Amino acid sequence: MATTDLATCQQLYDQQLAKQRGVQRLTATLVMKNVIDDRPLPE
């Protein structure tokens, strides 16, 4: 997933992903660097 900032990422994680039916546990790893510069995000 890609978000505009860390707060939005946390909100998505807490309010959307964790509340999906059948989800018992979530694990996330954050990568805090640019892997590819100047590439648009997929739609």
Side-chain angles (χ1 to χ4, degrees):
M1 74 182 162
T3 60
T4 56
D5 56 38
L6 188 55
T8 304
C9 180
Q10 187 68 51
Q11 183 179 17
L12 175 66
Y13 192 91
D14 292 340
Q15 296 179 9
Q16 299 293 320
L17 299 177
K19 292 183 178 180
Q20 294 296 309
R21 176 181 280 172
V23 172
Q24 294 180 356
R25 180 176 47 172
L26 291 173
T27 303
T29 301
L30 296 174
V31 177
M32 302 295 284
K33 66 179 182 177
N34 290 332
V35 178
I36 300 173
D37 290 329
D38 299 323
R39 184 176 189 182
L41 294 174
E43 294 187 29

Coordinates of all heavy atoms in Angstrom, one line a residue:
M1 N 0.8 -1.2 0.0 CA 0.0 0.0 0.0 C 0.9 1.2 0.0 O 2.0 1.2 0.4 CB -0.9 0.0 1.2 CG -0.3 0.3 2.5 SD -1.5 0.2 3.8 CE -0.4 0.0 5.2
A2 N 0.4 2.3 -0.5 CA 1.1 3.6 -0.5 C 0.1 4.7 0.0 O -1.0 4.7 -0.3 CB 1.5 3.9 -1.9
T3 N 0.6 5.5 1.0 CA -0.1 6.6 1.5 C 0.7 7.9 1.5 O 1.9 7.8 1.3 CB -0.6 6.3 3.0 OG1 0.6 6.1 3.8 CG2 -1.5 5.1 3.1
T4 N 0.0 9.0 1.7 CA 0.7 10.3 1.6 C 1.6 10.5 2.8 O 2.6 11.3 2.7 CB -0.3 11.4 1.4 OG1 -1.2 11.3 2.5 CG2 -1.0 11.3 0.1
D5 N 1.3 9.9 3.9 CA 2.1 10.2 5.1 C 1.9 9.1 6.1 O 1.0 8.2 5.9 CB 1.9 11.5 5.7 CG 0.4 11.8 6.1 OD1 -0.3 10.8 6.5 OD2 -0.1 12.9 5.9
L6 N 2.7 9.0 7.2 CA 2.6 8.0 8.2 C 1.3 8.0 8.9 O 0.7 6.9 9.2 CB 3.8 8.1 9.2 CG 4.0 7.0 10.2 CD1 4.1 5.6 9.4 CD2 5.2 7.2 11.0
A7 N 0.7 9.2 9.2 CA -0.6 9.2 9.9 C -1.7 8.6 9.1 O -2.5 7.9 9.6 CB -0.9 10.7 10.2
T8 N -1.7 8.8 7.8 CA -2.7 8.3 6.9 C -2.5 6.7 6.8 O -3.5 6.0 6.8 CB -2.6 8.9 5.5 OG1 -2.7 10.3 5.6 CG2 -3.6 8.3 4.6
C9 N -1.3 6.3 6.8 CA -1.0 4.9 6.8 C -1.6 4.2 8.1 O -2.2 3.2 8.0 CB 0.5 4.6 6.8 SG 1.0 2.9 6.8
Q10 N -1.4 4.8 9.2 CA -1.9 4.3 10.5 C -3.4 4.3 10.5 O -4.0 3.3 10.9 CB -1.4 5.1 11.7 CG -1.7 4.5 13.0 CD -1.0 3.3 13.3 OE1 0.2 3.2 13.2 NE2 -1.7 2.2 13.7
Q11 N -4.0 5.3 9.9 CA -5.5 5.4 9.9 C -6.0 4.3 9.0 O -7.0 3.6 9.3 CB -5.9 6.8 9.3 CG -7.4 7.0 9.3 CD -7.7 8.4 8.8 OE1 -6.9 9.0 8.2 NE2 -8.9 8.8 9.0
L12 N -5.4 4.1 7.8 CA -5.8 3.0 6.9 C -5.7 1.6 7.6 O -6.6 0.8 7.6 CB -5.0 3.0 5.7 CG -5.2 1.9 4.7 CD1 -6.6 1.9 4.1 CD2 -4.2 1.9 3.6
Y13 N -4.6 1.4 8.3 CA -4.3 0.2 9.0 C -5.4 -0.1 10.1 O -6.0 -1.2 10.1 CB -2.9 0.3 9.6 CG -2.3 -1.0 10.1 CD1 -1.6 -1.8 9.3 CD2 -2.6 -1.4 11.5 CE1 -1.0 -3.0 9.8 CE2 -2.0 -2.6 12.0 CZ -1.2 -3.3 11.1 OH -0.7 -4.5 11.7
D14 N -5.6 0.9 10.9 CA -6.5 0.8 12.0 C -8.0 0.8 11.6 O -8.8 0.0 12.2 CB -6.3 1.9 13.0 CG -5.0 1.8 13.7 OD1 -4.4 0.8 13.7 OD2 -4.6 2.9 14.3
Q15 N -8.4 1.6 10.7 CA -9.8 1.8 10.4 C -10.3 1.0 9.3 O -11.5 0.8 9.1 CB -10.1 3.3 10.2 CG -9.8 4.1 11.5 CD -10.1 5.6 11.2 OE1 -10.6 6.0 10.2 NE2 -9.7 6.4 12.2
Q16 N -9.5 0.5 8.4 CA -9.9 -0.2 7.2 C -9.4 -1.7 7.3 O -10.2 -2.6 7.3 CB -9.4 0.5 6.0 CG -10.0 1.9 5.8 CD -11.5 1.9 5.5 OE1 -12.0 1.1 4.8 NE2 -12.1 2.9 6.1
L17 N -8.1 -1.8 7.3 CA -7.6 -3.2 7.2 C -7.9 -4.1 8.4 O -8.3 -5.2 8.2 CB -6.1 -3.1 6.9 CG -5.6 -2.4 5.7 CD1 -4.1 -2.3 5.7 CD2 -6.2 -3.0 4.4
A18 N -7.7 -3.6 9.6 CA -7.9 -4.3 10.8 C -9.4 -4.7 11.0 O -9.7 -5.7 11.7 CB -7.4 -3.6 12.0
K19 N -10.3 -4.0 10.4 CA -11.7 -4.2 10.5 C -12.4 -5.2 9.5 O -13.6 -5.4 9.5 CB -12.5 -2.9 10.6 CG -12.2 -2.1 11.8 CD -13.0 -0.8 11.9 CE -12.6 -0.1 13.1 NZ -13.4 1.2 13.2
Q20 N -11.6 -5.7 8.6 CA -12.1 -6.5 7.5 C -12.5 -7.9 8.1 O -11.9 -8.4 9.0 CB -11.0 -6.8 6.5 CG -10.6 -5.6 5.7 CD -11.8 -5.0 4.9 OE1 -12.4 -5.7 4.1 NE2 -12.0 -3.7 5.0
R21 N -13.6 -8.4 7.7 CA -14.2 -9.6 8.1 C -13.1 -10.7 7.9 O -12.5 -10.9 6.9 CB -15.4 -10.0 7.4 CG -16.0 -11.3 7.8 CD -17.2 -11.7 7.0 NE -18.3 -10.9 7.7 CZ -19.5 -10.8 7.2 NH1 -19.8 -11.4 6.0 NH2 -20.4 -10.2 7.9
G22 N -12.9 -11.5 9.0 CA -12.0 -12.6 8.9 C -10.5 -12.3 9.2 O -9.7 -13.2 9.4
V23 N -10.2 -11.0 9.4 CA -8.8 -10.6 9.8 C -8.7 -10.8 11.3 O -9.4 -10.3 12.1 CB -8.6 -9.2 9.4 CG1 -7.2 -8.7 9.9 CG2 -8.6 -9.0 7.9
Q24 N -7.7 -11.7 11.6 CA -7.4 -11.9 13.0 C -6.2 -11.2 13.5 O -6.1 -10.8 14.7 CB -7.2 -13.4 13.3 CG -8.5 -14.2 13.1 CD -8.3 -15.7 13.3 OE1 -7.2 -16.1 13.6 NE2 -9.3 -16.4 13.2
R25 N -5.2 -11.0 12.6 CA -4.0 -10.3 12.9 C -3.4 -9.7 11.7 O -3.5 -10.2 10.6 CB -3.0 -11.3 13.5 CG -1.7 -10.8 13.9 CD -0.8 -11.8 14.6 NE -0.8 -13.1 13.8 CZ 0.0 -14.1 14.0 NH1 0.8 -14.0 15.0 NH2 0.0 -15.2 13.3
L26 N -2.7 -8.5 11.9 CA -2.0 -7.9 10.8 C -0.6 -7.7 11.2 O -0.3 -7.4 12.4 CB -2.6 -6.5 10.5 CG -4.0 -6.4 9.9 CD1 -4.5 -5.0 9.8 CD2 -4.0 -7.0 8.5
T27 N 0.3 -7.8 10.2 CA 1.7 -7.5 10.4 C 2.1 -6.5 9.3 O 1.8 -6.7 8.2 CB 2.6 -8.8 10.3 OG1 2.1 -9.7 11.3 CG2 4.0 -8.5 10.6
A28 N 2.9 -5.5 9.7 CA 3.3 -4.5 8.7 C 4.8 -4.2 8.8 O 5.3 -4.2 9.9 CB 2.5 -3.2 8.8
T29 N 5.4 -3.9 7.7 CA 6.8 -3.5 7.7 C 6.8 -2.2 6.9 O 6.3 -2.1 5.8 CB 7.7 -4.5 7.0 OG1 7.6 -5.7 7.7 CG2 9.1 -4.1 6.9
L30 N 7.4 -1.2 7.4 CA 7.5 0.1 6.7 C 8.9 0.3 6.1 O 9.9 0.0 6.8 CB 7.3 1.3 7.7 CG 5.9 1.4 8.3 CD1 5.9 2.5 9.4 CD2 4.9 1.6 7.3
V31 N 8.9 0.7 4.9 CA 10.2 1.0 4.2 C 10.2 2.6 4.1 O 9.3 3.1 3.4 CB 10.2 0.4 2.8 CG1 11.5 0.8 2.1 CG2 10.1 -1.1 3.0
M32 N 11.2 3.2 4.7 CA 11.2 4.6 4.7 C 12.3 5.1 3.8 O 13.2 5.9 4.2 CB 11.5 5.1 6.2 CG 10.4 4.6 7.2 SD 8.8 5.3 6.9 CE 9.1 7.0 7.5
K33 N 12.3 4.7 2.5 CA 13.2 5.3 1.5 C 12.6 5.2 0.2 O 11.6 4.4 0.0 CB 14.5 4.5 1.6 CG 14.4 3.0 1.1 CD 15.7 2.3 1.1 CE 15.6 0.9 0.6 NZ 16.9 0.2 0.6
N34 N 13.1 5.9 -0.8 CA 12.6 5.9 -2.1 C 13.3 4.7 -2.8 O 14.5 4.7 -2.8 CB 12.9 7.2 -2.9 CG 12.0 8.3 -2.4 OD1 10.9 8.1 -1.9 ND2 12.5 9.5 -2.5
V35 N 12.5 3.8 -3.4 CA 13.1 2.7 -4.1 C 13.3 3.1 -5.6 O 14.4 2.9 -6.2 CB 12.2 1.5 -4.1 CG1 12.8 0.3 -4.9 CG2 12.1 1.1 -2.6
I36 N 12.3 3.8 -6.2 CA 12.4 4.3 -7.5 C 11.9 5.7 -7.5 O 10.8 6.0 -7.1 CB 11.5 3.5 -8.5 CG1 12.0 2.0 -8.5 CG2 11.5 4.0 -9.9 CD1 11.1 1.1 -9.2
D37 N 12.7 6.7 -8.0 CA 12.3 8.1 -8.0 C 11.5 8.4 -9.3 O 11.7 7.8 -10.3 CB 13.6 9.0 -8.0 CG 14.3 8.9 -6.7 OD1 13.6 8.8 -5.7 OD2 15.5 9.1 -6.7
D38 N 10.6 9.4 -9.1 CA 9.8 9.9 -10.3 C 9.0 8.9 -11.0 O 9.0 8.8 -12.3 CB 10.8 10.7 -11.2 CG 11.5 11.8 -10.5 OD1 10.8 12.5 -9.7 OD2 12.6 12.1 -10.8
R39 N 8.4 8.0 -10.3 CA 7.5 7.0 -11.0 C 6.1 7.2 -10.4 O 5.9 7.1 -9.2 CB 8.1 5.6 -10.7 CG 7.3 4.5 -11.4 CD 8.0 3.2 -11.1 NE 7.5 2.1 -11.9 CZ 7.8 0.9 -11.8 NH1 8.8 0.5 -10.9 NH2 7.3 0.0 -12.5
P40 N 5.1 7.3 -11.3 CA 3.8 7.4 -10.8 C 3.2 6.2 -10.1 O 3.7 5.1 -10.4 CB 2.9 7.7 -12.0 CG 3.8 7.2 -13.2 CD 5.2 7.3 -12.7
L41 N 2.4 6.3 -9.1 CA 1.8 5.2 -8.4 C 0.7 4.6 -9.3 O 0.1 5.2 -10.1 CB 1.1 5.7 -7.1 CG 2.1 6.2 -6.1 CD1 1.3 6.7 -4.9 CD2 3.0 5.1 -5.6
P42 N 0.5 3.3 -9.2 CA -0.5 2.6 -10.0 C -1.9 3.1 -9.5 O -2.1 3.4 -8.4 CB -0.3 1.1 -9.8 CG 0.6 1.0 -8.6 CD 1.3 2.3 -8.4
E43 N -2.8 3.0 -10.5 CA -4.2 3.4 -10.1 C -5.1 2.3 -9.8 O -4.8 1.2 -10.1 CB -4.8 4.2 -11.2 CG -4.1 5.5 -11.4 CD -4.7 6.4 -12.5 OE1 -6.0 6.3 -12.6 OE2 -4.0 7.2 -13.1

